[in-house]
Amino acid sequence: MNTRIDTDCVIVGGGPAGLMLGLLLARQGRDVTVVEKHADFLRDFRGDTIHPSTQQLLGELGLLDEFLAKPHADMQRVMLSWHGTELALADFSHLPTARKVMSFMPQWDFLDLLAAEAARYAGFHLLRSTRVDAITHDGGRIGGVVATGVDGSLDIRARLVVDASGRDSVVRDAAGLTPSGVAAAMDVLWFRLPKNGDETYPFVQAGAGMLITIDREEFFQIAHVIPAGTWTGSDDDLARMKERFRSISPRLGRVAAELVADDVHLLRVRLERLRRWYLDGLLCIGDSAHAMSPAGGVGINLAIQDAVAAARILGPALHRGVPELVELRRVQRRRAWPVIVTQAVQRALQGPLLSTTRPGAPLPLPLRMLRRHPALTRLTGRFVGLGARPERLG
């Protein structure tokens, strides 16, 4: 069965950028169709960080109380344990936001919140279990997508196609947009460890490598930074990883002793971006436009801010008719600078994130500066918590 759908904007990808943009456009009275290939949002490679700037946005949308009613953990300062010596990396307590914390919430809960709020608007449509197969053209411009849903083929025609489907985007590839970037020096191992009672660990632990521990109440979600291309999943790889754990955190090393290779998932880090985010009828945002390192969880923040800027600039254009190239270009010009700055910082951090040292080794210079001048943690807190160019609804 071939079904035709006409909409103002079709958004490919139901992640943070796609759902936020869909919600914001629906609030403006636009007809929006979000196409999501999965049946739900329950996937492991979802970041948990909800930054102060995003929580400020939720407050503007009247969703902050609903957000806070969901299970979450708050962090006012990002702490690092360096061979047992603790110091602050970033301090959010002085930010000009209503909530001066970074919160951790399973992303599926956050996406459910956005989807439920967007569903209150008659013009919002979320198509789950729907895979985009191709883009279509209307004269010389991109005019929609062809997709396969639970009931068959869909021909979705739109004034604008927004690709928010991530760094392995089918839409971006079909449009001939190819990202350029710098080869990432690191990968991330992602897995769960059981939680015993009320035990806690520092958020970041460093020494013979780096561990990030996210407390999800019922278990710990672990991110372990490793040099790129060094994980094959072999028994030797697993044994070396457990040895690093014991060196970095003996207590966590004991918990990790029962891990098997199938418990560990590899996330290959890519730092890349499109030179041009748009074509006539198409705009890329989020990881589709710029894949980020997971450092600081800032990729989610950037993606959401892309969505806010796109809604503010393109919502009125969609009301008038078909957005012009100059309006699509305005979105990229607004968002490209913070992406470039953030990726430059992330590239510079790859060395320190991968450094391995023995107990007693001196603190690296950036950490010594933060310890000697605590006020600097307010600057790092602002960079992580707000981003290089925060966006507002108005």
Side-chain angles (χ1 to χ4, degrees):
M1 182 177 178
N2 193 339
T3 303
R4 173 165 168 168
I5 297 174
D6 290 281
T7 187
D8 292 337
C9 179
V10 58
I11 301 169
V12 183
L19 285 179
M20 182 60 76
L21 178 58
L23 167 58
L24 296 179
L25 290 178
R27 289 177 80 248
Q28 296 180 35
R30 308 284 71 77
D31 191 273
V32 186
T33 300
V34 177
V35 180
E36 168 56 43
K37 66 180 179 181
H38 295 99
D40 54 44
F41 302 126
L42 296 172
R43 283 172 300 288
D44 258 343
F45 291 138
R46 294 288 199 187
D48 288 17
T49 50
I50 310 296
H51 293 72
S53 59
T54 299
Q55 295 179 61
Q56 186 76 8
L57 174 63
L58 293 175
E60 294 178 32
L61 293 171
L63 295 176
L64 188 56
D65 288 342
E66 290 182 58
F67 170 80
L68 295 176
K70 293 180 177 291
H72 67 282
D74 292 335
M75 179 183 296
Q76 191 172 73
R77 296 193 301 166
V78 178
M79 300 300 295
L80 165 72
S81 174
W82 175 272
H83 292 297
T85 299
E86 291 201 2
L87 67 153
L89 295 179
D91 184 353
F92 308 118
S93 64
H94 298 271
L95 294 182
T97 51
R99 298 200 80 236
K100 306 175 191 303
V101 295
M102 182 155 62
S103 296
F104 296 87
M105 175 184 290
Q107 195 177 108
W108 46 83
D109 287 338
F110 177 65
L111 296 180
D112 281 337
L113 172 66
L114 296 182
E117 175 65 15
R120 296 178 55 243
Y121 297 90
F124 179 84
H125 316 279
L126 174 58
L127 304 181
R128 301 177 188 261
S129 301
T130 303
R131 181 191 70 242
V132 170
D133 301 312
I135 58 176
T136 59
H137 292 81
D138 181 7
R141 65 184 298 275
I142 294 172
V145 299
V146 175
T148 302
V150 292
D151 295 322
S153 180
L154 300 171
D155 180 12
I156 306 175
R157 307 288 180 90
R159 298 175 184 175
L160 176 66
V161 177
V162 175
D163 181 23
S165 59
R167 60 184 188 170
D168 296 313
S169 166
V170 171
V171 172
R172 185 184 65 188
D173 292 347
L177 296 175
T178 303
S180 58
V182 178
M186 68 183 192
D187 291 332
V188 175
L189 301 180
W190 185 256
F191 51 91
R192 299 179 180 184
L193 290 178
K195 185 177 179 181
N196 182 18
D198 296 328
E199 63 181 337
T200 60
Y201 296 96
F203 179 60
V204 183
Q205 299 180 77
M210 180 168 289
L211 301 177
I212 297 171
T213 304
I214 301 170
D215 189 341
R216 284 187 173 168
E217 293 197 333
E218 297 180 354
F219 61 90
F220 292 116
Q221 184 71 59
I222 305 294
H224 178 34
V225 179
I226 62 172
T230 60
W231 178 262
T232 65
S234 68
D235 290 342
D236 288 343
D237 285 348
L238 186 63
R240 284 191 289 268
M241 186 191 79
K242 291 180 180 180
E243 179 60 33
R244 289 195 299 272
F245 265 53
R246 287 191 292 269
S247 174
I248 299 169
S249 172
R251 282 198 302 149
L252 205 55
R254 288 192 291 271
V255 181
E258 302 301 319
L259 281 175
V260 298
D262 287 345
D263 297 327
V264 182
H265 304 280
L266 175 66
L267 175 61
R268 296 194 182 280
V269 176
R270 280 156 49 183
L271 272 174
E272 60 188 22
R273 64 178 179 268
L274 293 175
R275 286 175 174 256
R276 177 170 170 166
W277 298 15
Y278 61 92
L279 295 172
D280 197 2
L282 170 68
L283 174 69
C284 297
I285 62 173
D287 276 5
S288 178
H290 46 78
M292 313 298 292
S293 160
V298 294
I300 300 170
N301 201 30
L302 282 167
I304 289 173
Q305 293 188 20
D306 286 355
V308 175
R312 189 178 62 248
I313 294 170
L314 298 179
L318 285 167
H319 178 68
R320 294 191 300 269
V322 176
E324 299 179 359
L325 280 173
V326 65
E327 292 164 318
L328 301 178
R329 187 182 302 121
R330 278 184 61 200
V331 178
Q332 178 176 346
R333 286 182 173 176
R334 173 73 188 176
R335 298 303 309 153
W337 180 78
V339 169
I340 292 169
V341 171
T342 305
Q343 287 188 335
V345 173
Q346 290 191 326
R347 284 197 300 271
L349 285 175
Q350 287 188 127
L353 287 174
L354 290 168
S355 64
T356 60
T357 61
R358 297 183 179 278
L363 284 169
L365 178 59
L367 298 184
R368 293 202 303 271
M369 293 293 292
L370 290 174
R371 188 172 65 173
R372 291 173 183 169
H373 307 285
L376 292 177
T377 61
R378 298 183 186 182
L379 297 178
T380 55
R382 189 176 185 89
F383 181 79
V384 173
L386 299 183
R389 177 176 282 164
E391 299 289 347
R392 301 294 296 271
L393 291 182

